[in-house]
Amino acid sequence: MSNTERTFIAIKPDGVQRGLIGPILSRFENRGYKLVAIKLCTPPESQLREHYADLQEKPFFPSLLSYMMSGPVLATVWEGKDVVKQGRAILGATNPLQSAPGTIRGDYAVDMGRNVCHGSDSVESANKEINLWFKKEELVEYKSALFSWIYE
C-alpha cells in the first residue's frame, strides 16, 4: 500500500479530564486507522520543551508548559494511508472556533488554549514526536484483521 505512514496524536490534559479519550480514539478507529502505540503519562517539562521547541520564543510558551503538565496526556501513534494529513483533518483547525463541526476540535473545544488534542503536522515531525514519546519496542507491528476491508 502506498503512502502508509504513522502520526503522533496526543489527547491533552483537558481532553483526558473531560472524559473524551473514548470518543477521540473512536474517530481514528472508525476512519480505519490502526493504533500501534498508546500510553497515559504525565510528561516532564524537559520532554515538553523538546516537543514544543519551535514555540519556545512565543509569549504563551510558559502557560503552554504549565497547561501540558497540569494532568495526564494520552499519547498515541496511528498508522495508515495519508494518516498525518487525514489526522489533522479529523482534529480540525488548531483554533477550535475555525474548526468545522464534525471535527474533534469543532465538536469538543472553544478556546485555542484548551483545544483537546495535538496532531503531527508533517511526516517529519510525526517521526520526531513518535521517537520523543515512545521507545521503539513500544510500537506494535501487526496486520489488522480489517485491513482488506479498508484498503484495496
Side-chain angles (χ1 to χ4, degrees):
M1 178 178 61
S2 64
N3 209 15
T4 296
E5 55 196 30
R6 287 181 171 172
T7 195
F8 175 76
I9 302 291
I11 302 176
K12 297 177 180 179
D14 56 320
V16 172
Q17 292 290 345
R18 292 176 56 201
L20 297 175
I21 290 172
I24 292 169
L25 295 180
S26 70
R27 301 271 182 118
F28 287 86
E29 287 182 319
N30 291 341
R31 182 69 188 266
Y33 291 115
K34 180 174 72 171
L35 182 64
V36 296
I38 186 169
K39 67 179 165 186
L40 188 66
C41 60
T42 303
E45 184 176 338
S46 59
Q47 182 179 15
L48 292 169
R49 284 186 175 279
E50 188 172 348
H51 180 90
Y52 290 112
D54 59 323
L55 302 176
Q56 286 192 25
E57 300 304 317
K58 302 288 185 181
F60 60 82
F61 186 71
S63 63
L64 173 63
L65 283 180
S66 176
Y67 154 64
M68 289 298 292
M69 292 187 298
S70 69
V73 171
L74 188 78
T76 65
V77 178
W78 294 88
E79 182 178 283
K81 188 175 185 178
D82 203 28
V83 72
V84 173
K85 180 180 173 189
Q86 297 307 314
R88 298 282 292 183
I90 291 167
L91 293 181
T94 302
N95 182 343
L97 296 178
Q98 297 171 354
S99 293
T103 65
I104 291 167
R105 291 176 179 143
D107 290 349
Y108 300 122
V110 177
D111 273 342
M112 192 154 58
R114 298 291 183 269
N115 67 1
V116 182
C117 308
H118 165 83
S120 301
D121 61 4
S122 68
V123 172
E124 296 76 25
S125 65
N127 291 332
K128 177 183 159 242
E129 292 168 355
I130 291 166
N131 289 330
L132 179 62
W133 289 80
F134 290 93
K135 298 173 188 162
K136 185 175 177 157
E137 59 270 15
E138 293 177 306
L139 302 171
V140 179
E141 300 282 345
Y142 67 101
K143 183 171 182 179
S144 169
L146 300 176
F147 183 86
S148 64
W149 297 108
I150 296 168
Y151 297 103
E152 293 182 86

